[in-house]
Each structure stands twice: as C-alpha cells, then as structure tokens.
Amino acid sequence: MDEEAQVSKAMELIVAGYVKMRDRRALTNLLAHRRKVLGQLQAVSGINPENAVKAIQEELVLIEAGLEELAPPPGSLPENEWGQ
C-alpha cells in the first residue's frame, strides 16, 4: 500500500468513527482544520504542493460525506450540534 492510500484509509477510518459516534462537532472541527491546511498549502511558494493539495481535497470530500450522513432527515428537527 503506498503512502497516499494509507492517508486516505486513515481518514476514512477517522470519519467512520466520528459518524458511528455521531460526533458532528469533531467532524466539523476536522473539516475546518483540513480547509485551513489546504489554504496554507495553496499559499506556499518555492515548492510544488500539488500532491498534498490533492490529498487534502480528497480528505475534505470524505469529511463532508460523513457530515452528510449525520444530517437530519428533511423536515425533522436538527440534533444538537454539540453532540448528545
């Protein structure tokens, strides 16, 4: 397994764990952190952060999918954002 695949698998496991625990706050914090890292990578000069940017973008997709799984059904009252 190459390094890139390991990172994706690790993020998949982290997101799955937070979804299983229904921890929206943890997923929201993780999403904010990864977006911040992506912004920092995109601002870097002197190196080519293309691979890291791609990996972070893929992680963002995973995290957003996890948050979508925790979204309340249409027409229902949303759960407390800070967990139960």
Side-chain angles (χ1 to χ4, degrees):
M1 183 182 295
D2 64 20
E3 186 176 324
E4 188 175 313
Q6 290 175 356
V7 172
S8 296
K9 185 63 176 172
M11 186 57 68
E12 286 177 23
L13 293 172
I14 291 167
V15 170
Y18 288 151
V19 168
K20 185 175 183 178
M21 294 182 329
R22 303 199 54 77
D23 194 340
R24 290 184 64 84
R25 181 173 47 175
L27 278 172
T28 301
N29 290 342
L30 184 60
L31 183 65
H33 175 264
R34 297 320 254 174
R35 285 182 175 160
K36 180 180 176 184
V37 170
L38 180 60
Q40 291 170 337
L41 281 170
Q42 290 172 329
V44 168
S45 62
I47 65 166
N48 183 356
E50 184 179 332
N51 289 339
V53 166
K54 181 180 175 196
I56 296 292
Q57 288 170 332
E58 290 171 358
E59 290 177 352
L60 289 172
V61 169
L62 286 172
I63 298 165
E64 289 167 348
L67 282 169
E68 191 64 33
E69 283 188 54
L70 295 179
S76 67
L77 295 174
E79 289 183 26
N80 182 344
E81 283 288 326
W82 304 111
Q84 299 183 35

